[in-house]
Amino acid sequence: MTMHFVDMIENRVSTNAFDSKKDVPADQIQQLVRLATHAPTAYNLQNWRFVAVHSQEARARLRAVANDQPKITDAAVTFIIAGSLPDHADVAPRLRPAVEAGFMPQRMADGWVDAVRQAYEHHPGRQRDEAFRTATFAGATLMFAAQAFGLASCPMGGFDPDGVARAFGLAPNEIPVMLLAVGHAAEGNWPAKPRRPVAEVLSLV
């Protein structure tokens, strides 16, 4: 059963207290990640990776490099959402299904390879920005996918990026951008906190 998307947006909360006795099964974890991969990426790079920290041992290991946050061991699973630095060598294989399906001309796919090379190859700042942008889109999509299945979530910073990368074998080109705890809410969580009025944050020009 899913919620209407507007209701999901308006009722989403960052859950601080999780019921540590309730699990999220592996097949549902796979489904959540499958949905998260529908998030947009530049040039269809799909430059992300999801590490689902699910076992008790792995959650304890993650908590040790994430400021000892209890949510990590209380939630059923905490995702490490990593963005990969964009690489033009990845473009052709990731566009091949679109070319083979017949809706993307090969000439256009080849042009995208060159575009990615020109945009990022000698621009480490752009590479890092794109990795963060990609992982952020993926994290938001995963968060709402979890909510659609009646699960609670909490996006988190507050971790040692180098420690996370070492502890979970991230590649040198992968940046751990956020953690996302997912599970079942316990009693005592706050409701959604009030947001600033639109008039304070919108410039309509």
Side-chain angles (χ1 to χ4, degrees):
M1 180 179 297
T2 59
M3 298 171 61
H4 188 279
F5 195 66
V6 172
D7 292 335
M8 288 174 50
I9 293 171
E10 292 181 339
N11 292 297
R12 185 207 63 81
V13 297
S14 293
T15 298
N16 281 309
F18 288 89
D19 186 338
S20 61
K21 296 180 175 62
K22 293 184 178 179
D23 193 20
V24 173
D27 60 342
Q28 192 165 44
I29 290 171
Q30 292 174 351
Q31 178 77 331
L32 293 174
V33 172
R34 185 189 69 80
L35 292 169
T37 63
H38 285 272
T41 58
Y43 300 99
N44 197 40
L45 276 164
Q46 302 178 64
N47 52 314
W48 44 40
R49 189 149 73 92
F50 305 83
V51 180
V53 183
H54 190 212
S55 71
Q56 289 185 345
E57 179 277 325
R59 282 182 281 156
R61 188 156 32 102
L62 179 58
R63 181 170 170 171
V65 289
N67 292 350
D68 198 32
Q69 296 182 73
K71 289 188 287 288
I72 294 172
T73 46
D74 289 343
V77 57
T78 295
F79 294 91
I80 302 167
I81 303 175
S84 302
L85 301 177
D87 185 342
H88 70 274
D90 294 328
V91 177
R94 292 174 190 173
L95 294 181
R96 188 171 298 121
V99 173
E100 291 175 350
F103 63 84
M104 185 175 203
Q106 182 65 57
R107 180 177 64 258
M108 180 181 290
D110 295 341
W112 284 21
V113 174
D114 291 337
V116 170
R117 180 188 291 110
Q118 292 175 21
Y120 302 110
E121 188 170 36
H122 301 297
H123 301 281
R126 291 183 192 171
Q127 290 179 355
R128 184 174 176 84
D129 287 349
E130 198 59 60
F132 268 78
R133 189 160 31 244
T134 292
T136 300
F137 282 141
T141 305
L142 179 54
M143 179 178 64
F144 284 114
Q147 190 168 347
F149 284 102
L151 298 170
S153 67
C154 186
M156 291 181 285
F159 59 89
D160 172 10
D162 293 334
V164 168
R166 285 192 303 270
F168 292 91
L170 298 188
N173 69 325
E174 294 177 328
I175 302 170
V177 172
M178 72 175 73
L179 307 180
L180 183 68
V182 174
H184 298 269
E187 297 293 328
N189 283 286
W190 291 353
K193 293 180 284 296
R195 283 340 201 213
R196 294 168 62 190
V198 171
E200 290 185 8
V201 298
L202 171 65
S203 297
L204 188 59
V205 298

